[in-house]
Structure formats: structure tokens, C-alpha cells
Amino acid sequence: MKTIRKLIPLLMFSLLFFSAQAADLSKEQEAAHVLNRLGYGPRPGDIQRVSQMGVDRYIEQQLNPLSISIPDSLQQKIRTLQVANLNAGDALDRYHKILKDTQDESDEASKKRREMIGIIFQETAETRLWRAIESPRQLEEVMVEFWFNHFNVFNGKGLDRALIASYEREAIRPYVFGNFRDLLGATAKHPAMLFYLDNWLSTSADFKPRARRGKPEQQAKANGLNENYARELMELHTLGVDGGYSQHDVTELARILTGWTFDPRIAGYGHANFVFDAERHDNGTKQWLGKTVSPNGKSEGEFALDILALDPATAHHISYQLAQFFIQDQPPEALVKKLSQRFLESRGDIRLVLTALFNSPEFRDPKVFGVKYKTPYHFVISALRASDTSVQNVRPLLGTMAQLGMPLYGSQTPDGYKNTEQAWLNPDALSRRINFATALATGHLPLNQSVDAGDKMGAKQMVKQADNNDRHVMMEPLGANQLLDALGPLISNNTRTLINGTPEGLRASLVLGSPDFMQH
């Protein structure tokens, strides 16, 4: 293992000088391109299958995921999870019961709290990762990642530990190809977002709380006006930082959204935890974005979301992010304008905007083939797909992502994770990627070991385990030839020549650790 890790950086350095770009893409290259951009890279046989069916047909299928069957094996995996399928109310109820039963500081109480948090986190992660690795609805999984990142909430903040699963399942996943206004509303009302950005605590200046039934920790406290959500709603979720609003607009929007809260005591499917508390609402007239907003209770917030969802600045902001995510770090402004126009014409129809993007000459341009640098998440998932590795135990993957600086659901700031090369390409991160590639290729990751529900751990413990993954061989080593066949034109001839000139035991590690594989 030590020998492999000493050789890989030297070979990687050599590989950096062998980059060649074809003037025109072959059918296999086009297939590889869409598999890498609309999904997390090819599994064995995918490039040939998409080449035969045609790229256009593949894109159409991916944009309409209900036409694609989910394998029974994946569905069975997800059905076995205990906590990840709970709705928001039931998840909060279970979380509060654990807290109530373990209020003392004994070792046993601490253990129960850790176990509950660990189960919630791991099962939520298992659902996401198993889908990303195994689901043939690859674009759906990519869009879940994209929109969760866009409407980011942090798993490590209080009640959000219990709410992440229902947030992704109920407020993100159903809307990834739908109408942007619906997605905006679903995230705005979900308890995970209300808690993360503190809007559940926001009240009018003259609000005076009354004593209510229920436990103190289950009641939203009176905290005065809180601008956190209003600011991020405009800066990150809709208009963008250059969207033409002022600090006054932030304050007025915060006033509009007072009373948008949730009650942890109410259990129910979907967003039943959301409540509009009229007593907390600021009933004064607001001047927002040049508009007079008369007192109208909850409808003021709905009106604000209507305006934001179809503002031209929002159309540009979303279009830029989509073009950056799917094409290149600095997307062509002409394409962004074209997508913005489609966004406005379709009144925020995400599927139609994506259709315009994937049909654009910019997306099919050979110059953008392989120019995006994979995020740690994309890198790890694509390695598992290319190697057709069966995953039961996600702990080593979560530990690796944390080591690479992208812990799943772990972005503390509301802007989420970047998807650009500048954010992720550095010597330390590159070395850690090579370590993962080596461990996976040589069979030193216990991915095939089942994990008992009572033996699940939090993210920090998973990082510690990832440090020890290479102590014992736990799976069959990967074959370099099988990897190269699966990846096809994604690995250049120059890279193949270099890899084939090294000892056989190093080759699979070099494939997954090559610059070619780290691009998409």
C-alpha cells in the first residue's frame, strides 16, 4: 500500500502533461459526456447502451424519470430503513422523546442520544448514496443534489438532525423537475428551513407571547424580527447577490414572513408542521422591492414568493447556476440569457429549462467535454459506479467525503457547496482522493459489510473509521481492464499507455486516481 501511494503522485504528475481534446465527439464520447454530466458517470455497459439508443433519447428519458423503472433490489434496501422514511412530525416526535427520556447526563443517556442521532444521519445518508449509486434515474439524483445544495440546510444544527430526511424527501425530491415556485414554497414551509435560518423565531416587534401548553422545547420562542431567512431567500434562493435589492428590502421581507413558523407538537405527512401564527405576524404595511404590501396575513408571504419566483433576476441567477453546474465553471453569458428567457417564458418550469440547456450547442460543444472537476461527492459516487461496487456499508464513503471537505449534509453555511475546480483542486485534497482510489481499488474498504441499526455512528466517528480503512483487505481488488472498459473514452489513450506500463497491481488505483477520471 505504501509503495502504491508513493508511486501514484509521480504518475499523476506525468499524466497531467497528456491532455488531448478531440475536435469532434464520437457517439461513444457523446454518450460518456451525458452519462458524466446528467449523472454520476457510467457503470459497466452504460456507454455502449447509450450509444446504441442515442443521446437524445437518453436525455429525454432522464428528464422524465417515471418512465424508468427502479430496480427491486434498490427499492427493498430503502424500504428496510427505520427512520429515514418518517415524516417531519413523526421524526421530531421521536427525537423529542429521546431527549425527554435522556435528560440526565449519565453515560447511558448520552449513548441513547448519540445512537438516535447516528441512526437518523446514517439512514438519511444511505438513502441518498444508494440512490446515487444504483438508481437508473441518474438525472433525478443529480437534481436532488443540486437543489438541496441550492436550498441548503445544515445537518448539525439542533432539530435539523431529525428533519434532514423529510426535508430532502418532501421539500426537494418531488419538485426537482417541476415548477420553481412550488419548490420555493415547499422549502420555505418545511420545518428544516424554518429552523435552520431561524424564521420560526421571527416575530413582530410588539409581539407578546402567551403561555401555551406543551413542553418548553416544543414551543417557538419570542425572539423579535429575524432577517436570516429573508436575506438568504433573496441572495441565495432567488434574486442573487446582485439582484437589485437593498437592506431595507431584506427587513421588509422579514416583516412579511413573520408568523411563518412550525409547531413541533404537530405530526403529519408533508409540511403539516408548518403553521402561520397570526399573533406573531407584523400587520403593518410594508414597502418591498418598490411595491406596497398591505396587511394580509399569510398571503403576504405567498405574494412575496410569487414575485421572487418569476423575477428576471431570479431567472438569471438560477440559469447561471444550472449552466455552471452542467457545462463549465464560467458559463457563456449568451447561454445564460437563453436559459433565463426560457425560465420566464415557461414561468419557472425546471424541466423545460433543463431541456433547453441539454439541447444547446454549448452543452454539446467538444470543448466542454471533461472540463468540469468533480466535487468530492461526484468523485466518490462515480468511482463506485465505474467499478460496479455493491455497497451495504456507507460509513467509509461518508468518512471519505468528510476528509475531502464535503461531508454529506454538512455545509454549515446557507450557500452550500461550490461545484468549481477552484473550490476543490489542491494538493492535500488530491492526495486524499488518491488514498481513496487506492483503498477502493485494492479492496481495503468494508463496503460489503452490513451495519446493524444499533451500531450506527455519527459523521465524526465515520471520519475516524475512514483513517483505518486500509488495514485489512475486505473486498476483492478491482480489475483495471474492467474499469477501462466501463469508462471507455473518458480515459484517454495517453493515460491508458502510461497505466499499462506500470505493475498490474497498481493499474486500477491509477485509473481511479488519474486526472482523466477526476474530470467530468
Side-chain angles (χ1 to χ4, degrees):
M1 288 290 291
K2 290 182 178 179
T3 302
I4 292 174
R5 288 177 179 168
K6 285 180 180 178
L7 285 174
I8 289 180
L10 296 175
L11 292 164
M12 292 249 335
F13 183 75
S14 299
L15 290 173
L16 289 171
F17 293 95
F18 290 96
S19 59
Q21 188 66 59
D24 295 298
L25 298 184
S26 66
K27 284 188 176 181
E28 283 201 343
Q29 286 176 315
E30 287 182 342
H33 178 57
V34 297
L35 285 162
N36 248 348
R37 295 294 177 89
L38 275 68
Y40 297 108
R43 299 181 89 176
D46 277 355
I47 292 177
Q48 292 76 14
R49 177 175 61 85
V50 175
S51 296
Q52 291 173 2
M53 71 185 297
V55 164
D56 292 335
R57 184 182 169 199
Y58 176 76
I59 291 174
E60 181 66 21
Q61 281 189 351
Q62 291 296 312
L63 285 166
N64 296 277
L66 293 179
S67 67
I68 306 172
S69 299
I70 297 293
D72 291 340
S73 58
L74 175 57
Q75 294 188 56
Q76 181 59 33
K77 271 181 165 182
I78 294 172
R79 279 196 297 265
T80 61
L81 301 178
Q82 302 172 24
V83 178
N85 293 320
L86 292 176
N87 62 62
D90 290 341
L92 280 177
D93 183 60
R94 184 175 296 194
Y95 184 76
H96 280 304
K97 284 179 179 178
I98 293 289
L99 293 180
K100 176 186 175 182
D101 295 340
T102 59
Q103 287 180 353
D104 62 276
E105 295 303 321
S106 66
D107 291 342
E108 184 63 25
S110 298
K111 180 181 178 182
K112 285 184 178 180
R113 287 195 293 268
R114 288 196 304 271
E115 285 180 352
M116 176 61 182
I117 293 170
I119 290 172
I120 293 172
F121 172 74
Q122 179 156 324
E123 289 197 359
T124 306
E126 285 172 339
T127 302
R128 167 76 85 85
L129 296 179
W130 286 340
R131 285 180 181 273
I133 296 165
E134 300 180 29
S135 176
R137 300 175 180 179
Q138 280 286 284
L139 181 58
E140 180 176 58
E141 298 312 308
V142 167
M143 294 308 297
V144 167
E145 180 203 357
F146 175 87
W147 287 122
F148 188 101
N149 200 56
H150 182 84
F151 295 103
N152 182 60
V153 298
F154 173 47
N155 178 67
K157 182 177 179 179
L159 296 181
D160 277 338
R161 294 185 177 98
L163 292 169
I164 287 289
S166 71
Y167 178 68
E168 181 168 291
R169 187 182 63 252
E170 298 163 5
I172 301 292
R173 184 172 291 277
Y175 305 98
V176 295
F177 294 116
N179 184 273
F180 180 74
R181 171 61 178 87
D182 294 337
L183 174 61
L184 186 65
T187 57
K189 294 176 183 176
H190 196 281
M193 181 63 75
L194 291 165
F195 184 83
Y196 174 55
L197 291 177
D198 304 313
N199 205 78
W200 80 306
L201 302 174
S202 188
T203 69
S204 64
D206 58 355
F207 171 69
K208 292 181 174 56
R210 295 187 301 171
R212 298 187 180 185
R213 294 180 180 178
K215 308 175 189 66
E217 73 273 12
Q218 290 183 331
Q219 298 179 11
K221 301 174 183 177
N223 209 42
L225 189 67
N226 190 300
E227 298 180 355
N228 288 352
Y229 177 61
R231 178 175 294 105
E232 308 308 348
L233 176 59
M234 290 196 288
E235 179 179 328
L236 299 177
H237 300 171
T238 57
L239 304 178
V241 67
D242 299 319
Y245 60 90
S246 66
Q247 174 56 40
H248 173 76
D249 292 318
V250 173
T251 301
E252 294 296 270
L253 181 56
R255 291 179 62 208
I256 289 171
L257 292 169
T258 50
W260 283 50
T261 184
F262 72 99
D263 189 340
R265 298 168 298 179
I266 302 174
Y269 188 77
H271 315 299
N273 292 79
F274 169 80
V275 294
F276 175 73
D277 190 337
E279 293 181 6
R280 293 170 170 267
H281 183 62
D282 184 328
N283 285 305
T285 300
K286 294 91 176 175
Q287 298 294 328
W288 175 68
L289 294 181
K291 299 174 179 64
T292 299
V293 181
S294 301
N296 198 19
K298 175 178 175 287
S299 296
E300 294 175 35
E302 300 288 0
F303 169 77
L305 295 181
D306 290 343
I307 296 298
L308 291 171
L310 289 179
D311 192 284
T314 297
H316 186 275
H317 180 56
I318 300 300
S319 297
Y320 180 90
Q321 289 193 322
L322 287 169
Q324 182 185 70
F325 188 87
F326 283 106
I327 295 186
Q328 60 190 75
D329 290 357
Q330 297 296 327
E333 181 58 27
L335 174 62
V336 175
K337 289 182 178 178
K338 184 191 304 180
L339 298 179
S340 300
Q341 183 178 358
R342 192 71 185 108
F343 186 100
L344 294 172
E345 289 172 348
S346 66
R347 300 187 65 79
D349 188 312
I350 297 168
R351 182 180 282 104
L352 293 181
V353 174
L354 288 173
T355 300
L357 191 158
F358 299 142
N359 287 335
S360 69
E362 291 87 349
F363 179 75
R364 310 290 181 102
D365 190 339
K367 293 179 181 178
V368 304
F369 180 78
V371 301
K372 287 285 292 182
Y373 189 71
K374 292 177 181 177
T375 66
Y377 182 82
H378 194 135
F379 171 68
V380 170
I381 300 301
S382 63
L384 297 164
R385 285 180 57 79
S387 58
D388 203 21
T389 299
S390 176
V391 176
Q392 292 295 329
N393 177 17
V394 302
R395 289 179 183 175
L397 308 181
L398 295 170
T400 296
M401 291 175 192
Q403 287 181 329
L404 292 172
M406 195 178 182
L408 188 60
Y409 307 116
S411 176
Q412 298 185 33
T413 56
D415 56 343
Y417 292 119
K418 302 289 189 280
N419 65 79
T420 61
E421 180 177 298
Q422 184 179 6
W424 299 112
L425 180 57
N426 62 76
D428 180 65
L430 196 59
S431 175
R432 290 179 183 272
R433 289 191 184 209
I434 293 169
N435 289 344
F436 168 75
T438 303
L440 177 61
T442 55
H444 286 76
L445 295 179
L447 300 174
N448 59 351
Q449 297 181 2
S450 61
V451 180
D452 294 332
D455 189 36
K456 296 183 179 180
M457 60 179 70
K460 291 183 179 179
Q461 291 83 0
M462 292 176 188
V463 174
K464 291 180 181 178
Q465 178 173 317
D467 288 331
N468 300 319
N469 281 333
D470 60 349
R471 293 184 179 179
H472 306 286
V473 175
M474 302 171 187
M475 298 179 68
E476 284 294 318
L478 302 180
N481 290 336
Q482 288 82 359
L483 281 173
L484 291 170
D485 287 344
L487 294 169
L490 296 174
I491 305 298
S492 69
N493 290 332
N494 288 323
T495 298
R496 289 169 182 265
T497 299
L498 270 174
I499 290 173
N500 289 333
T502 62
E504 186 173 352
L506 301 178
R507 292 175 188 172
S509 302
L510 290 172
V511 174
L512 298 179
S514 68
D516 290 0
F517 186 74
M518 293 191 194
Q519 302 288 129
H520 75 109

